[in-house]
Amino acid sequence: MCAPTSYARNEEIFGEGEPADFLYKLETGCVRAYHTLDNGRRQLVAFYVAGDLFGLDARELHTISTEATTPCMIRVIKRKALMSRGGDLAMLKHLLDVTAVELRRSQSHNLLLLQGAQERVVGFLHEMAEREHRQSEIELHMTRRDIADYLGLTVETVSRTLSLLETEAAISLPTPWRVVLHDPSALN
Amino acid sequence: MCAPTSYARNEEIFGEGEPADFLYKLETGCVRAYHTLDNGRRQLVAFYVAGDLFGLDARELHTISTEATTPCMIRVIKRKALMSRGGDLAMLKHLLDVTAVELRRSQSHNLLLLQGAQERVVGFLHEMAEREHRQSEIELHMTRRDIADYLGLTVETVSRTLSLLETEAAISLPTPWRVVLHDPSALN
DNA sequence: CGTCACATTGAACCTCTTCAAGCGCCGTGG
DNA sequence: CCACGGCGCTTGAAGAGGTTCAATGTGACG
């Protein structure tokens, strides 16, 4: 366990194809994980927020790239240090749990991607609210482009949808990065 | 380990919300796994083919339903029988592997769902070819509706796309359920 | 104060959906 | 045996929703 390192906005943490020698514990800030597709487009597969552990997407080589979407403090952990401790049964169980949670997330993301633009954006807002342990007021730590690439939409559609939700009085946008959910339970 | 049971076409194997006391080993046939969405629509999350193990989607209660898409022979295995054998380290590792594989599948399905209709159908055909260890000629063990619900498209779009691929000489459809891939490697 | 990055808004276009109809196969029953 | 009905597949035409291209707005920072 090292002392936390600081990363600047948009700084790469690790890249696709690099050896996966470390795990990362995000102390503060927000991180995006993404694939780069054949056609050059970018597909975000996850956002990580304070407290999240990430970087276990592969055994040997990373299959995704990660960058800081905001300035971050990140604890870097040597993989070996963990693995040497075990054929550890508790560690194995923990890894299984973490993987299972990622699987659930991926599956519900699947469901989200089948819905319309409005449902995707609302789903995203809920996810973020839950992630940040907030109920009605959330802070978006990422750009519209990041959101769009996460939801499989265009920047324009995300922007339009947020505006629409505001005119429908479902949310407020005091600033472009601050969102207030007016009826958090019944936004569906 | 019980002797294989037979299931008729469209017969339910287990339903969402039921206790997950068993694992299932598919000997012959094809099975679909699906969620039922709020709006009543059905979202297929997986097809299982001969040799696949399924039913481990939950700890206590199943989160998905499964049905036979063709007549099936299925070996039903008591979950307890496996679990009692271990704090078994090998078993735990195996479960981790299986979960990791499911995670990969879910993630690549994510990528598929972001593409256009043609890419989705082609991706599906490739997946099926790989699953059945075929290279150029595959047998579709499911209806157009199943495929559509799996790809997040409508029946009509799937049908149209297959027809289009045939006119482009990318595939042949000797019968509606038999597909020949004309250039398996370069279908992208 | 100008610039740059990000966000927003508008209008034309395109893809997929929706609605509707027709076809072919197969099992059932007169 | 043939007629009928059901089911699944295909095809067509109109409509909706998102993308694309283009222009404008706005806040942060040198």
Side-chain angles (χ1 to χ4, degrees), chain A:
Chain A
M1 265 241 193
C2 307
T5 333
S6 77
Y7 287 83
R9 188 169 131 83
N10 292 329
E11 188 176 348
E12 179 174 86
I13 297 160
F14 59 80
E16 195 169 343
E18 294 182 7
D21 296 333
F22 302 96
L23 294 184
Y24 302 83
K25 178 97 193 284
L26 182 53
E27 300 287 340
T28 66
C30 182
V31 168
R32 60 173 166 261
Y34 63 94
H35 289 277
T36 307
L37 303 180
D38 319 322
N39 52 353
R41 292 181 68 156
R42 194 181 64 154
Q43 169 58 20
L44 296 209
V45 294
F47 288 111
Y48 300 109
V49 299
D52 283 346
L53 188 72
F54 65 98
L56 38 65
D57 62 289
R59 291 215 173 281
E60 294 296 327
L61 259 44
H62 285 296
T63 61
I64 55 177
S65 308
T66 52
E67 296 171 351
T69 66
T70 66
C72 285
M73 294 302 291
I74 302 178
R75 225 177 259 280
V76 183
I77 305 163
K78 277 212 172 70
R79 215 187 182 86
K80 269 190 187 169
L82 287 178
M83 293 314 173
S84 61
R85 279 211 330 229
D88 194 341
L89 204 120
M91 173 59 70
L92 218 74
K93 274 189 178 164
H94 186 242
L95 282 183
L96 181 57
D97 277 351
V98 172
T99 309
V101 168
E102 287 267 5
L103 179 57
R104 300 271 171 101
R105 246 207 263 288
S106 175
Q107 285 178 344
S108 42
H109 198 59
N110 265 337
L111 297 185
L112 206 59
L113 292 182
L114 292 167
Q115 316 224 330
Q118 192 153 326
E119 288 85 348
R120 295 194 214 186
V121 172
V122 169
F124 170 76
L125 293 177
H126 276 143
E127 185 183 341
M128 286 301 114
E130 190 186 347
R131 284 293 206 82
E132 297 194 339
H133 310 292
R134 294 279 156 67
Q135 286 163 13
S136 61
E137 189 162 5
I138 55 182
E139 188 77 26
L140 299 179
H141 298 290
M142 65 288 292
T143 67
R144 296 289 191 269
R145 167 143 302 282
D146 287 333
I147 299 175
D149 289 347
Y150 182 60
L151 297 178
L153 298 171
T154 60
V155 198
E156 293 92 331
T157 303
V158 171
S159 184
R160 262 188 266 273
T161 305
L162 286 170
S163 302
L164 185 64
L165 287 172
E166 193 177 22
T167 67
E168 289 175 348
I171 64 172
S172 302
L173 292 162
T175 80
W177 306 278
R178 177 168 293 277
V179 185
V180 181
L181 309 180
H182 285 160
D183 192 354
S185 55
L187 259 177
N188 42 15

Side-chain angles (χ1 to χ4, degrees), chain B residues 122-137:
Chain B
V122 169
F124 170 76
L125 292 177
H126 276 144
E127 186 184 340
M128 286 302 113
E130 190 187 346
R131 284 294 205 82
E132 296 195 341
H133 310 291
R134 294 279 156 65
Q135 285 162 16
S136 61
E137 189 161 8

